[in-house]
Amino acid sequence: MVTDDIFIDQHVLCSTLSACSALKAFSFGRSLHSTIVKLGFECETFIGNTLTDMYSKSGDMVSASNVFQIHSGCKNIVSLTAIIDGYVEVDQIEKALSTFVDLRRRGIEPNEFTFTSLIKACANQAKLEHGSQLHGQVVKFNFDRDPFVSSTLVDMYGKSGLFHHSIQLFDEIENPNDIAWNTLVGVFAQHGLGRNAIETFNGMIHTGLKPNAVTFVNLLKGCSHAGMVEDGLNYFYSMEKIYGVVPKEEHYSCVIDLLGRAGKLKEAEDFINNMPFEPNAFGWCSFLGACKIHGDKERAKLAADKLMKLEPENSGAHVLLSNIYAKEKQWEDVRSLRKMIKDGNMNKLPGYSWVNIRNKTHVFGVEDWSHPQKKEIYEKLDSLLDQIKCIGYVPQTESVLIDMDDNLKEKLLYYHSERIAVAYSLLTCPTGKPIIVKKNLRVCSDCHSALKYISKVTERNIIVRDISRFHHFSNGSCSCGEHW
């Protein structure tokens, strides 16, 4: 059109900007912005909205905010929702929430897309208090019957640890769509409630809705986290045959995880060898993790080698293999692997846990002395340790994979991040309110044991979300049934 000197109006520019967003052609979109300014269309409201959306989807929130601030016509629900969605995508949730507050101050009413984006953000960060407040706003603006908003609320409560709230909200949806059903299956999967996931899947089929690839990922994860190997395999092999869904990489990875968690490493290896393609990084990582748990050094070497080739910058494979060698007291091999991590400039992900209390996030690392209430926290930890030892807790020093004295190992275990987070929560959370802790890595076996005892002596429900699932500790037991 430019070459042929054909007149370009705002509608053409708007359509082209939308195409740039959809195709992620952001360099061309920026060039187009210059053309828009030259042609004098920058003050058009829908051009400003589309520019804001394009920059937000590219993750360039500075440019998106500039367009929004400069053009008064952009200060509407369309551009504000685009800004919120952009902040959500780049994990700047506080800015997304403050934009929502600004939106309300201007007297602009949010729409279903605004709420869906914000609640999704709260779900991903497990910000229960913010999410609950948004739920109140959803009801106020009569979006609680919207299937998409309701589905994100189901997801948010599930990811925050309160799956009973998810069930209640799902039951209030008049005609759940496939997204709502998939979300509930996913909630049950993350909480290790495999039987509930299957019942939900059956309910979905009964309504006449067709399951899709997402349904089966959630269903297979549910079976894996509940140790339901036969059920999981039956659903995997029925995917294409009965439901017409061709298994993809992620479904094969779920089966590797299913077999590995159950200790069926030979079957997992055979499954890998018969796959139509090589497992992805998640598949090899699952297999390597299972080899570590079940002490299979030879298969672990194979999995670690494959994982290192797929993700050479990822230290995870080296760390897991190092842990296996440490368990066997092969300290030279441990030192060799740790040297490889150091020489390769690979960063080992530090373990940390966090809790959200009164709309504030408190983050704790191992042996973390930085919190202003550190004195009270460590006194509480020492008190808890004395109490749980009296009822049978024995520190699992073998889980500390470092060559050191057992007394030092015990001390290291006492101050793991999840225990510090629980101790702080016990000091600050009202009695009767569940304690919800999030952790960026897998909960160690000793902390898993200690938290069961802590739930018993304190008579509190403790919910821990680690990297793969939820653990509900209550009265000395855990919901996982040791399938984790």
Side-chain angles (χ1 to χ4, degrees), residues 108-176:
I108 299 170
E109 289 200 358
N111 60 24
E112 64 272 33
F113 303 107
T114 317
F115 283 121
T116 299
S117 187
L118 281 168
I119 295 164
K120 182 179 77 172
C122 292
N124 292 339
Q125 293 287 327
K127 286 186 174 288
L128 178 60
E129 291 183 21
H130 286 304
S132 299
Q133 289 166 10
L134 285 167
H135 186 183
Q137 292 285 307
V138 165
V139 174
K140 179 181 175 181
F141 287 99
N142 296 315
F143 288 118
D144 50 322
R145 299 298 174 191
D146 182 276
F148 297 100
V149 176
S150 296
S151 296
T152 50
L153 281 169
V154 169
D155 187 47
M156 186 273 293
Y157 281 113
K159 285 179 176 171
S160 299
L162 304 180
F163 69 87
H164 291 295
H165 286 54
S166 297
I167 298 168
Q168 184 181 337
L169 279 165
F170 178 84
D171 289 341
E172 290 172 3
I173 302 173
E174 286 183 17
N175 293 300

Side-chain angles (χ1 to χ4, degrees), residues 285-457:
C285 192
S286 297
F287 188 53
L288 177 56
C291 292
K292 174 188 174 288
I293 292 166
H294 298 287
D296 192 325
K297 190 168 59 177
E298 294 309 311
R299 289 190 174 97
K301 285 180 185 174
L302 166 71
D305 182 57
K306 296 285 188 180
L307 191 54
M308 288 173 197
K309 286 176 183 174
L310 282 173
E311 295 184 342
E313 301 301 315
N314 188 345
S315 65
H318 298 78
V319 171
L320 281 171
L321 191 56
S322 166
N323 289 345
I324 292 169
Y325 287 142
K327 204 171 181 180
E328 298 288 323
K329 301 192 186 305
Q330 295 177 227
W331 302 115
E332 282 303 316
D333 292 319
V334 171
R335 280 187 276 274
S336 173
L337 277 167
R338 287 178 181 166
K339 187 176 183 299
M340 284 173 67
I341 294 172
K342 187 177 179 181
D343 293 347
N345 290 319
M346 289 179 274
N347 293 319
K348 181 185 174 185
L349 186 66
Y352 57 89
S353 301
W354 67 99
V355 289
N356 296 312
I357 295 172
R358 300 186 193 97
N359 280 337
K360 186 176 179 182
T361 302
H362 300 262
V363 182
F364 302 93
V366 178
E367 294 188 298
D368 192 338
W369 297 90
S370 62
H371 198 277
Q373 289 180 253
K374 58 182 178 290
K375 184 175 181 291
E376 296 96 320
I377 292 170
Y378 281 89
E379 283 175 355
K380 185 67 176 175
L381 275 172
D382 291 340
S383 170
L384 287 170
L385 180 61
D386 290 338
Q387 290 178 70
I388 64 177
K389 277 188 170 180
C390 286
I391 62 167
Y393 165 69
V394 177
Q396 298 177 16
T397 53
E398 68 278 6
S399 66
V400 179
L401 303 173
I402 304 172
D403 189 12
M404 61 165 59
D405 181 78
D406 275 359
N407 289 328
L408 290 173
K409 287 184 178 183
E410 278 193 36
K411 285 184 179 179
L412 272 180
L413 290 171
Y414 298 160
Y415 303 126
H416 276 191
S417 64
E418 54 267 57
R419 295 199 210 185
I420 301 172
V422 166
Y424 176 70
S425 300
L426 286 166
L427 290 169
T428 52
C429 282
T431 304
K433 187 176 181 181
I435 290 165
I436 303 173
V437 175
K438 279 76 71 175
K439 184 175 171 67
N440 69 325
L441 300 175
R442 190 175 186 271
V443 175
C444 83
S445 58
D446 184 73
C447 285
H448 190 266
S449 171
L451 290 172
K452 285 192 284 188
Y453 284 107
I454 290 171
S455 73
K456 189 175 181 68
V457 298

